[in-house]
Amino acid sequence: EKRKSLLDVFGKNETQSNKKLKKSESLSDEEIKKKNIAKLKRLQQKEVEVNKKEGTYVQCSKEKCLTWRLVKEYDDPSNVPDNWICSMNGDIKNNVCGEGGQSELNDSDIVDLKYTCGSMVWGKMKGSPWWPGMVDFCPDSEEYYWIEEEINLTEPAWYHVVLFEGKGN
């Protein structure tokens, strides 16, 4: 089957969802937009709260260690330094290389995210030039990435990207 463009997948869903909202609640386009923005803000806040409460898994970059640690210092995994080491852990009981933590995490437990919610990216839609945007929650599915099991179980095949407005050239 031919792969669909992001516009085909998400543009159609958004249009259908907005039509349903309009019919069921008799809302204007502006009211629908405000409702979607409010929903996205709630989803973003929820994710920040989960990261604060549960933490983020980080792997020590020292070759002799490579221990995984659950750390609570970072609200956003993209803020973790590239060369993070165990001594940077704020938890005194778990900041010595080789002691505690987890030496391995199962691949099935990990989703390798290249982008987190809020990451700035370049997006492209069929027939348009590359354009700056941001990875954000889809108001319909409340997700910001999707995994296609036929392709890969640990890497997202799609991210929901909101393109910035502008006049361009």
Side-chain angles (χ1 to χ4, degrees):
E1 178 183 0
K2 185 179 173 190
R3 205 168 179 167
K4 296 179 180 178
S5 72
L6 288 176
L7 181 60
D8 293 337
V9 174
F10 300 112
K12 186 184 287 185
N13 289 346
E14 185 177 329
T15 303
Q16 290 171 350
S17 174
N18 288 346
K19 284 180 182 176
K20 286 178 189 175
L21 267 177
K22 267 187 168 180
K23 283 182 182 177
S24 65
E25 300 179 24
S26 300
L27 298 175
S28 70
D29 287 339
E30 191 63 32
E31 289 170 322
I32 292 171
K33 188 175 180 180
K34 285 181 182 179
K35 220 172 189 186
N36 284 341
I37 289 171
K39 187 175 181 180
L40 288 173
K41 284 181 181 180
R42 285 192 306 274
L43 288 168
Q44 290 167 342
Q45 186 61 37
K46 184 178 174 183
E47 179 160 301
V48 169
E49 288 171 12
V50 166
N51 282 348
K52 280 183 181 177
K53 181 179 158 192
E54 295 177 9
T56 300
Y57 275 99
V58 181
Q59 186 177 29
C60 181
S61 62
K62 286 188 177 179
E63 259 187 70
K64 291 182 179 179
C65 182
L66 300 176
T67 302
W68 284 93
R69 307 228 182 245
L70 182 61
V71 296
K72 296 187 177 187
E73 290 91 354
Y74 304 100
D75 294 341
D76 183 350
S78 66
N79 292 333
V80 177
D82 289 338
N83 293 314
W84 188 89
I85 56 174
C86 293
S87 62
M88 297 167 83
N89 190 351
D91 180 3
I92 298 168
K93 296 177 186 175
N94 287 301
N95 68 358
V96 177
C97 282
E99 295 180 18
Q102 293 178 284
S103 58
E104 291 183 20
L105 287 176
N106 294 334
D107 284 345
S108 62
D109 296 337
I110 299 172
V111 175
D112 184 19
L113 295 176
K114 289 187 173 65
Y115 309 104
T116 61
C117 191
S119 295
M120 305 299 251
V121 296
W122 286 95
K124 180 156 178 35
M125 292 175 46
K126 189 175 181 180
S128 299
W130 287 94
W131 203 261
M134 180 176 73
V135 175
D136 204 354
F137 285 99
C138 173
D140 294 329
S141 68
E142 299 184 5
E143 299 287 342
Y144 66 91
Y145 67 88
W146 293 267
I147 293 176
E148 287 189 18
E149 294 177 359
E150 305 83 40
I151 298 173
N152 192 324
L153 292 172
T154 60
E155 289 185 23
W158 301 92
Y159 288 90
H160 182 260
V161 176
V162 177
L163 298 176
F164 298 130
E165 291 184 36
K167 294 180 181 179
N169 292 339

